[in-house]
Amino acid sequence: AKIEASERELLQRHVQDSNDVASGFLIRIISVISMICLLLVGTRIVVIRHERGRRKAEEELKETSLALEHAVEGISRVDDSGFYVTVNKPYANMLQTEPARLVGKPWMSIVNVDDHPKVEAAFKSMQARGKAETEVKAIRKDGSDFYLKMTMVSALDDTDKRLSGHYCFIKDSTRERREQQELINARKAALEASLAKTEFLANMSHEIRTPMNGVIGMSGLLAQTALNEQQRQYVDTIMV
């Protein structure tokens, strides 16, 4: 009986130990599963945030591109080698071409050769100060010339703040320049007319004064002669 009781006690302990081992193993499995679930949830959150960030960046890029496309002035982006990277529609329209035809071409190709030194000087000023403005004669697709007001703004790399090109803003100033020239011509014509009037009056004064001096002189001589009363009145009227 004592042996049987001892065996039962050993069996109970063995079962209890087995249960404890199974419980511990199950707890470990649950812990691992929980960690995996947390990891998956965290990864999913990161992916969702990244996806939202990507979509937001794409939306902002689309908005920027849309604003660039419908800007009033011509806007372009030029790389550090001097080639067009992006060109908006108004920029290309001024040159009578399409944006795609300008991308990849040298940005100085739109400027009349005679004005290249002026643009190069403005570019050096932009490199030193970050911004520069000038007015140049540009060339349309059909070869005709027109005037542009050009503003250059330096573009810096986000990582090392190194100059990575520049933005070029252009505005057709042909009409403004023509109106200014017309105003200059009008002022010149008015000045010439005023000078002509002054010269005319001076000449007329001389032409009138010369014979009048003779008339007055002769009237003085006449006054010294014997005159009747009526003749004397006439001479006095001339002398007054």
Side-chain angles (χ1 to χ4, degrees), residues 24-188:
F25 183 71
L26 183 60
I27 291 172
R28 290 179 182 178
I29 291 176
I30 294 173
S31 298
V32 171
I33 293 173
S34 298
M35 290 179 65
I36 292 173
C37 290
L38 290 174
L39 182 61
L40 290 174
V41 171
T43 302
R44 179 60 179 169
I45 292 174
V46 171
V47 170
I48 292 174
R49 288 179 178 176
H50 176 73
E51 182 67 18
R52 288 177 179 175
R54 184 183 65 80
R55 289 180 180 177
K56 184 178 180 180
E58 288 179 351
E59 290 175 358
E60 291 177 352
L61 181 60
K62 287 180 180 179
E63 291 176 357
T64 302
S65 299
L66 188 63
L68 181 66
E69 186 68 21
H70 292 85
V72 176
E73 293 186 337
I75 305 173
S76 68
R77 172 74 161 81
V78 183
D79 63 19
D80 55 359
S81 298
F83 295 93
Y84 286 115
V85 177
T86 57
V87 176
N88 74 340
K89 191 72 174 175
Y91 194 105
N93 286 344
M94 291 184 206
L95 301 166
Q96 297 179 342
T97 186
E98 296 294 329
R101 292 184 177 274
L102 290 173
V103 174
K105 289 186 176 181
W107 76 284
M108 287 278 285
S109 61
I110 72 167
V111 180
N112 188 292
V113 177
D114 295 338
D115 282 350
H116 278 196
K118 185 188 294 187
V119 176
E120 290 169 356
F123 182 77
K124 290 180 180 179
S125 178
M126 181 210 68
Q127 289 178 313
R129 302 177 184 179
K131 180 181 178 181
E133 297 179 358
T134 187
E135 187 175 26
V136 299
K137 187 183 291 185
I139 308 170
R140 297 188 181 94
K141 184 180 178 181
D142 61 3
S144 60
D145 292 333
F146 70 109
Y147 287 93
L148 285 178
K149 281 189 176 180
M150 181 179 291
T151 302
M152 291 175 281
V153 179
S154 58
L156 301 179
D157 189 272
D158 293 334
T159 54
D160 56 6
K161 303 303 179 182
R162 181 180 58 84
L163 187 67
S164 61
H166 70 276
Y167 295 94
C168 183
F169 303 85
I170 61 173
K171 182 179 180 181
D172 190 336
S173 60
T174 306
R175 180 177 178 181
E176 180 181 349
R177 190 180 181 91
R178 183 173 61 250
E179 291 175 349
Q180 289 178 350
Q181 188 60 47
E182 289 175 352
L183 182 60
I184 292 173
N185 293 339
R187 288 177 178 174
K188 184 178 179 180

